[in-house]
Amino acid sequence: ATGGRWALARGDARRPFDRRHPEKAQPWDGNGRRHLLQGDEAGYRRICGRMLERFGETRDSWIRIAVVRACSLIPDAVPEYDHRVGEIEIRGIPSGVLWVGHYYRGIRHYRAGRYPEAVRNLRQSLAETRFQARSLNYPVLAMALFRSGQSEAAREELEHSRRELDRHTQ
């Protein structure tokens, strides 16, 4: 029964895309996530490819961040998307949320296999804020450290992640 509802919801969510592609990046992101949640990896990759066609050359930092976020959920969502998206512009992001730009830049570097750059950006993200969502950095940071051959540091970041998760679930 639940699977049928998901299929209906996915169909409802897809209709606007059939008629006209949204002007904003967020609906694209949500549509891509729905495909992935349904196990439709090909559909997810198709959405990411279209997002890159539509938004890949924008200079708007928030849209660039949305594209990177949307297309970083699985490795190689779009072959070589990393090179097509370009560097996330940190300039122009309000200082109160600057950590978000560093976080997504870190994810981008991680997906591209540039682990030292990922570590640097994720640590910068952690340094920029005390906001509770900053804990999103820890798992990606642990993976980047592990891939960089820093197993002990990776374990420490996983422990930070576990403590934060425990704290949030209390």
Side-chain angles (χ1 to χ4, degrees), residues 14 16 30 38 61 85 89-91 94 102 110 121 124 127 132 147 161 167:
R14 198 179 290 157
Q38 286 291 299
S61 296
V85 172
E89 292 288 332
I90 297 295
R91 292 184 318 258
H102 288 292
Y110 177 79
N121 278 281
Q124 183 67 37
Q132 68 183 11
R147 296 284 184 153
S161 183
R167 191 170 67 82

Side-chain angles (χ1 to χ4, degrees), residues 47-65:
I47 292 295
C48 287
R50 288 180 183 161
M51 279 187 83
L52 286 169
E53 288 170 10
R54 171 73 176 87
F55 303 107
E57 300 299 320
T58 184
R59 294 222 178 270
D60 184 297
S61 296
W62 291 111
I63 293 173
R64 293 171 79 83
I65 286 171

